[in-house]
Amino acid sequence: MTTFDPCWLGSKRLPEVTIHASGALAQTIRAEFRQTPRLRTELEVALCTIGRLDETPLAGLIRQVLPTDGLGDEGFVVMRQGNNLVVAAEAGRGLLYGYFYLLRYFEWMDGDFTVVERPAIPVRMLDHWDNLTPHPVMGSVERGYSGGSIFFRDGRVVEDLTRVRAYARLLASIGINAVAVNNVNVHAAETRLLTDHLPDVARLAGVFREYGIALHLSVNFASPIELGGVDTADPLDERVARWWSSAVKRVYDAVPDLGGFVVKADSENRPGPHTYGRDHSDGANMLARALAPYGGTVFWRCFVYDCHQDWRDRSTDRARAAYDHFIPLDGRFDDNVVLQIKHGPLDFQVREAVSPLLGELQETTFALELQVTQEYTGQQKDLCYLGPWWREILHFDTTGADGPTVAERTKAIVAVSNIGDDPNWTGHKLAQSNLYAYGRLAWDPSADPVSLLHEWAAATFAMDDRTRSELVAIMADSWRTYERYTALLGVGFMVTPGTHYGPNVNGYEYSAWGTYHFADRYGVGVDRTVATGSGFTGQYPEPLAGRYENVYTCPDELLLFFHHVPYDHVLQNGRTVLQHIYDTHFQGYEEVEAMLTRWKSIADRFDPTTRENITPRLEAQLANAREWRDQVNTYFYRLSGIPDAHGRTIYR
């Protein structure tokens, strides 16, 4: 029998449970329960749909707490009174989530209580950047740091879907209800392969269906000459629309409940003159109309910018691009188009401003896009728990004046997955926490990231409370530690080009992809003000725009994202910019050193496989932090000639 790392589902037990429900997802729950170890207790536990509530002893009490507008397809109630505990839901998906809630918290379910749960965000999705074709590597994953694809080998869907089923189970347990299985940077040839192997796609969809997860496909329509012999990619050309209508029908004949398509708008792949018609709304709407009869959705990824910039031209600003492209189109997209917007205007940096599109789109449905795979945040070599960063983004006030948060405005949340065929799924064992936190925050953006770490650790490892607290202490602030020894005050892209790992201060500074720090002998930072810079601050509403425009009210952590300042500019924290650069890089290294020491003090309490996975990675992280510290500090010392105020070693 094939086995996999059970992650946070490995140590759970339940008492006997009576299930009053029918249907495919009820069968999934029964199968789940059969493989869950039993726990002896006097508690009587029942799961039921609302239509069969009278078969449980708490029917009357549960009806009293049901929301007036219902639980919806995914909500559930958990109630305990005395020795009776009932989980109730309107539909199978809600009951499945209720079952996993029971599994997650049962050992803490003491005394009488009532919980009513409904997800805050309707669509909670993971995008996989798995390559179907043998280019560049068979079964490879773009920006994947955990081995190869669990879905594809040799240009086809894998024969044995056992691991895919185990993965679907993990996703359902944290509330994920949608998944795109192939790379958004898809080639037209791969789109054709998918449509040529629809029975295999149907097998994948069938496994995810067992866990209430809708399958989506990434497609490319920029090269239809490869797809169907049409000599144009113009979505306004009827031949293109007919080809896609026919292709969509074939897909839905094979997978009737397909969620829809994910499309990358442009950026690295510069569109041709007729790729999107007059603008992006033409291309998105053409696909949306092909999908509409089947209930499908187009997730149109708004990662757009000129990838052939001249670094000499300081008026060019990649950060402006998504807003400039899509705000003029607000309201011109069909109802089944979702604009998928990166959390920041650049590219998943360890710190950047929240994208103004997330607050300024008024008439178009949009999704917040995050990145669970650690492309710019340590690549699952360095420990970097991202839950605190995501919560900041979800709770960002989009007006700056007690207006709606990002979480309140978005109808979907999407993230790039961090899993692969590594034995523990994520390469770094502790990186499993990011997948867990993403799912839990997507369901409930108000969840506390540190509490989620405790949840994850307690479910993942057999250890005492003191050891768990030590592990959580190591992990909880690791994102800020990573920020301290890498980026500074909102500057990004000081990474090795291509791999995006390790320091290279000028790696992208003179590239066609943009310019990101403009450091010289006098100062550092990008002037994005309206008064003297690219005008990016003007894309935010007031009072946010004014707060970012003013060098003295701009938050310290974003100062160099919005302003070019001299090295002796004094931050709100009382330090000069240059001294802050020195201090944080020394501090970040010391924090990694302390993390490693703390881990070694508890490592022998973990199993050998876990120790052998984590210890060398933390040791390598310390070496990486040293390189970042010394290269960044030396770079700015050589430019400025200003020594560290504390006399610490900076290499010349």
Side-chain angles (χ1 to χ4, degrees):
M1 178 179 177
T2 305
T3 59
F4 310 106
D5 187 328
C7 300
W8 51 85
L9 293 178
S11 61
K12 295 300 185 179
R13 298 184 298 163
L14 285 177
E16 288 297 328
V17 175
T18 304
I19 301 172
H20 305 282
S22 58
L25 292 180
Q27 291 301 106
T28 297
I29 296 169
R30 290 186 174 93
E32 280 291 316
F33 181 63
R34 283 194 294 270
Q35 62 181 320
T36 302
R38 296 293 181 269
L39 179 70
R40 288 187 178 182
T41 176
E42 295 181 358
L43 202 61
E44 299 288 333
V45 182
L47 275 70
C48 70
T49 51
I50 297 298
R52 296 179 63 177
L53 201 53
D54 287 335
E55 298 176 40
T56 74
L58 302 181
L61 292 173
I62 289 177
R63 286 195 176 96
Q64 292 176 26
V65 301
L66 291 175
T68 55
D69 56 346
L71 291 168
D73 185 52
E74 298 185 319
F76 58 87
V77 173
V78 183
M79 179 180 287
R80 176 175 177 173
Q81 292 289 319
N83 283 334
N84 291 297
L85 190 153
V86 175
V87 180
E90 290 184 9
R93 188 177 286 169
L95 202 60
L96 180 66
Y97 295 144
Y99 172 82
F100 282 118
Y101 182 96
L102 182 69
L103 196 66
R104 183 185 310 130
Y105 293 125
F106 183 78
E107 63 186 285
W108 295 300
M109 288 182 175
D110 297 324
D112 294 350
F113 68 89
T114 301
V115 171
V116 180
E117 287 261 343
R118 292 186 293 186
I121 299 173
V123 178
R124 305 170 302 281
M125 186 174 181
L126 278 164
D127 282 357
H128 288 263
W129 289 359
D130 293 33
N131 295 308
L132 175 64
T133 59
H135 176 76
V137 180
M138 288 188 289
S140 69
V141 180
E142 183 176 347
R143 303 304 176 191
Y145 312 106
S146 313
S149 173
I150 68 169
F151 305 121
F152 306 121
R153 283 290 184 277
D154 302 319
R156 301 197 61 151
V157 173
V158 295
E159 288 297 324
D160 183 1
L161 296 181
T162 305
R163 182 154 193 170
V164 176
R165 182 170 284 101
Y167 178 55
R169 179 176 182 247
L170 287 173
L171 296 191
S173 75
I174 53 174
I176 300 299
N177 63 6
V179 62
V181 293
N182 62 310
N183 194 349
V184 72
N185 295 310
V186 62
H187 299 286
E190 290 195 349
T191 299
R192 185 167 184 174
L193 271 174
L194 284 169
T195 57
D196 286 347
H197 293 95
L198 288 175
D200 281 344
V201 175
R203 288 194 302 118
L204 273 180
V207 170
F208 284 111
R209 187 182 300 119
E210 293 176 22
Y211 286 88
I213 299 168
L215 182 74
H216 294 65
L217 298 175
S218 296
V219 299
N220 179 316
F221 73 94
S223 305
I225 192 167
E226 295 183 51
L227 296 174
V230 183
D231 59 0
T232 178
D234 186 355
L236 300 179
D237 189 303
E238 275 300 315
R239 294 173 297 168
V240 175
R242 282 197 301 271
W243 188 91
W244 278 103
S245 291
S246 175
V248 167
K249 181 181 184 304
R250 293 197 307 276
V251 172
Y252 276 88
D253 283 345
V255 186
D257 58 350
L258 186 84
F261 292 158
V262 179
V263 181
K264 182 172 180 176
D266 56 28
S267 74
E268 288 95 346
N269 302 316
R270 250 189 170 180
H274 300 296
T275 301
Y276 305 116
R278 292 182 302 269
D279 54 53
H280 286 274
S281 65
D282 293 326
N285 290 342
M286 183 272 290
L287 285 178
R289 289 160 193 168
L291 290 165
Y294 310 95
T297 299
V298 175
F299 285 82
W300 190 265
R301 199 163 176 260
C302 301
F303 185 36
V304 299
Y305 63 93
D306 181 0
C307 63
H308 296 278
Q309 298 177 30
D310 184 347
W311 61 269
R312 301 166 186 83
D313 179 7
R314 296 186 72 154
S315 67
T316 302
D317 184 3
R318 172 173 167 177
R320 291 188 55 102
Y323 183 103
D324 287 343
H325 274 82
F326 288 99
I327 285 296
L329 304 179
D330 193 13
R332 288 175 54 178
F333 292 92
D334 286 7
D335 290 344
N336 60 327
V337 174
V338 176
L339 296 184
Q340 187 167 315
I341 303 165
K342 286 189 177 184
H343 67 76
L346 293 178
D347 191 14
F348 299 131
Q349 298 302 292
V350 68
R351 173 85 70 173
E352 56 182 290
V354 172
S355 171
L357 270 182
L358 296 169
E360 290 297 274
L361 283 171
Q362 302 299 322
E363 301 177 55
T364 305
T365 302
F366 63 86
L368 167 69
E369 185 180 61
L370 304 173
Q371 192 178 47
V372 185
T373 194
Q374 295 171 232
E375 179 179 355
Y376 293 98
T377 53
Q379 301 190 358
Q380 280 128 253
K381 300 174 186 175
D382 292 15
L383 173 61
C384 185
Y385 174 58
L386 294 166
W389 182 209
W390 295 333
R391 193 177 189 278
E392 281 192 21
I393 295 162
L394 287 162
H395 285 254
F396 178 76
D397 178 352
T398 57
T399 68
D402 296 323
T405 64
V406 170
E408 290 167 340
R409 296 202 76 234
T410 190
K411 301 300 182 187
I413 182 168
V414 181
V416 185
S417 170
N418 68 338
I419 72 103
D421 66 1
D422 187 277
N424 70 20
W425 301 94
T426 57
H428 197 313
K429 173 71 175 178
L430 301 185
Q432 292 176 2
S433 62
N434 282 329
L435 179 59
Y436 184 87
Y438 168 70
R440 298 285 287 110
L441 284 166
W443 179 279
D444 178 12
S446 69
D448 173 51
V450 177
S451 296
L452 294 180
L453 260 187
H454 277 283
E455 273 185 23
W456 167 79
T460 302
F461 301 108
M463 58 187 171
D464 57 71
D465 291 348
R466 183 178 176 183
T467 302
R468 184 180 75 247
S469 295
E470 285 288 307
L471 180 63
V472 169
I474 291 168
M475 299 177 65
D477 205 38
S478 55
W479 160 59
R480 292 182 180 88
T481 292
Y482 189 87
E483 180 182 20
R484 288 178 189 117
Y485 69 77
T486 57
L488 56 146
L489 303 171
V491 165
F493 288 97
M494 290 183 170
V495 292
T496 303
T499 66
H500 297 171
Y501 184 80
N504 188 329
V505 179
N506 279 335
Y508 280 104
E509 194 62 13
Y510 304 102
S511 76
W513 306 97
T515 303
Y516 304 103
H517 64 69
F518 287 113
D520 56 30
R521 64 183 294 187
Y522 305 107
V524 60
V526 182
D527 185 353
R528 292 190 163 103
T529 65
V530 171
T532 57
S534 71
F536 175 68
T537 58
Q539 294 185 344
Y540 294 90
E542 291 292 354
L544 267 181
R547 190 175 305 154
Y548 291 148
E549 178 82 6
N550 187 325
V551 71
Y552 297 106
T553 60
C554 182
D556 280 353
E557 65 269 18
L558 292 173
L559 180 70
L560 302 187
F561 187 92
F562 286 110
H563 295 275
H564 186 88
V565 297
Y567 293 117
D568 61 0
H569 174 84
V570 178
L571 299 168
Q572 294 173 40
N573 66 22
R575 290 182 286 190
T576 67
V577 165
L578 186 61
Q579 193 58 47
H580 179 87
I581 292 171
Y582 293 157
D583 288 349
T584 52
H585 284 82
F586 281 111
Q587 180 185 353
Y589 176 81
E590 290 162 3
E591 288 176 355
V592 177
E593 199 170 34
M595 286 161 55
L596 177 59
T597 299
R598 201 166 190 171
W599 164 253
K600 287 183 174 180
S601 74
I602 62 171
D604 61 356
R605 305 175 201 173
F606 293 81
D607 63 90
T609 300
T610 298
R611 290 199 304 271
E612 291 163 11
N613 174 268
I614 296 172
T615 302
R617 282 174 168 79
L618 285 176
E619 290 171 341
Q621 182 170 359
L622 184 62
N624 188 40
R626 180 174 184 252
E627 285 304 311
W628 274 100
R629 179 198 68 188
D630 291 344
Q631 289 194 33
V632 171
N633 283 350
T634 295
Y635 177 85
F636 284 102
Y637 174 72
R638 287 175 175 176
L639 270 185
S640 69
I642 302 171
D644 171 38
H646 304 293
R648 293 165 293 195
T649 300
I650 295 179
Y651 298 90
R652 299 186 181 186

